[in-house]
Amino acid sequence: FGYTDRARLGATACEATAWVEDTTVICKIAAGLESTLRVVVTAGVVAGSSTEMMSYNVPAVSSLKSTLYNRAPFSSEAFTLSGVSFATQDNTAWARLGASAAEASVWVSDSSVSCTLTSAFRSSLSVVVTSGGGAGTTTEALSFDAVTLFSTVTGGVEEDDDGENVTTTSRANLPSTGSVSITISGASMAVVDYSTMARLGSSACEASTWVSESALVCRAGAGNVGTLRVAVTAGELAGTMTEATSYDAPTLSNSRRVNVPATGSVRVTVVGAAFGMTTYTAAGRVSSTACETSAWHSD
């Protein structure tokens, strides 16, 4: 018969314990959020225990309620996570977006937690809710707006020899020598510098300087490409724009030999500009006939 039999789950006593027989005790468990619990039964002054006997359901996230699936990278708006097993009271419920904790988490009910976004630059984020000792997650729950590019202007803010910022003169194309600045305008380029980088075609800029959420200055390298795509990355997000800029095409000013003999096989030096800072398989043609050989000398 019952000797004031009592049962305990983890560190919490059962709400009620009823002795049934020598091999059975009925326990009414309390609310909880532990993943794995030890069970202890006492009868009189004798106690017995067993480990990993039971556990509570972990939080399960089913949906995210927000006005937009994508958020601005600098957003601090609230959204609501819905699910089950978030606890019947606030057991230090917290939410995490990817690897970053939400700016604030407020327990609402057993099926709802309200959170405030932190700024981030990730293409797709998992959401994790922890309550007590349990945690639940859902993948691809939220993403931030990708970088959007609007325009490019050749010229920008540069430092002079004294370290002062000066505005360079704008020009239509990039010189083949490179080493000029391009100001790239757009949106969602971050509220701080998240290792923001720019690329012209397949070549990274010599240097990229974040200016603001809507502007980036890129120092172009040397090149000889007619039309270039511009790509900007900020954190894990990227944006591109086609036909954004181009390098100056080669221009001819004169040749150092006016007439050539009908036999050919003589050298003609062609003078001009934008022939490149190195030999880009430069080749010459007289009318519709290619030269027998072409040798690049300088830009």
Side-chain angles (χ1 to χ4, degrees), residues 15 17 25 47 53 83 119 128 187 192 195 209 256 296:
E15 293 182 350
T17 306
V25 170
M53 285 293 291
S119 61
V128 180
V192 295
S195 61
T209 303
R256 294 181 179 173
W296 175 87

Side-chain angles (χ1 to χ4, degrees), residues 25-192:
V25 170
I26 297 176
C27 163
K28 185 176 182 180
I29 64 173
L33 288 167
E34 295 296 327
S35 55
T36 304
L37 292 167
R38 173 195 298 267
V39 174
V40 180
V41 175
T42 60
V45 294
V46 180
S49 66
S50 181
T51 58
E52 299 181 356
M53 285 293 291
M54 67 162 293
S55 62
Y56 288 95
N57 291 334
V58 297
V61 182
S62 59
S63 64
L64 182 148
K65 296 179 181 178
S66 178
T67 55
L68 294 172
Y69 177 72
N70 280 357
R71 313 303 298 178
F74 48 84
S75 176
S76 289
E77 300 177 23
F79 64 94
T80 301
L81 293 170
S82 298
V84 294
S85 301
F86 292 167
T88 55
Q89 59 184 356
D90 188 0
N91 288 81
T92 61
W94 285 94
R96 190 173 74 242
L97 309 176
S100 300
E103 290 183 353
S105 299
V106 179
W107 176 86
V108 179
S109 68
D110 179 66
S111 60
S112 181
V113 171
S114 179
C115 307
T116 302
L117 287 171
T118 182
S119 61
F121 282 82
R122 301 286 297 274
S123 54
S124 183
L125 291 169
S126 61
V127 173
V128 180
V129 173
T130 60
S131 184
T137 182
T138 182
T139 58
E140 299 181 354
L142 184 73
S143 63
F144 287 86
D145 292 341
V147 176
T148 304
L149 305 183
F150 300 146
S151 63
T152 62
V153 176
T154 304
V157 178
E158 298 183 357
E159 287 189 357
D160 59 16
D161 294 337
D162 297 326
E164 298 293 331
N165 289 335
V166 295
T167 302
T168 60
T169 304
S170 297
R171 49 176 290 150
N173 296 323
L174 299 171
S176 60
T177 56
S179 295
V180 296
S181 293
I182 301 177
T183 301
I184 304 170
S185 300
S188 301
M189 294 187 190
V191 291
V192 295

Side-chain angles (χ1 to χ4, degrees), residues 198-216:
R199 190 174 72 244
L200 305 180
S202 57
S203 300
C205 293
E206 293 180 351
S208 298
T209 303
W210 176 85
V211 179
S212 68
E213 191 266 335
S214 60
L216 175 78

Side-chain angles (χ1 to χ4, degrees), residues 1-21:
F1 55 92
Y3 288 92
T4 61
D5 300 306
R6 293 289 183 269
R8 188 175 75 246
L9 304 180
T12 305
C14 294
E15 293 182 350
T17 306
W19 176 87
V20 178
E21 57 181 339

Side-chain angles (χ1 to χ4, degrees), residues 204-246:
C205 293
E206 293 180 351
S208 298
T209 303
W210 176 85
V211 179
S212 68
E213 191 266 335
S214 60
L216 175 78
V217 175
C218 155
R219 182 178 289 274
N224 278 80
V225 181
T227 303
L228 290 168
R229 173 194 298 265
V230 171
V232 172
T233 58
E236 293 184 2
L237 302 180
T240 64
M241 182 170 59
T242 59
E243 299 181 356
T245 188
S246 62

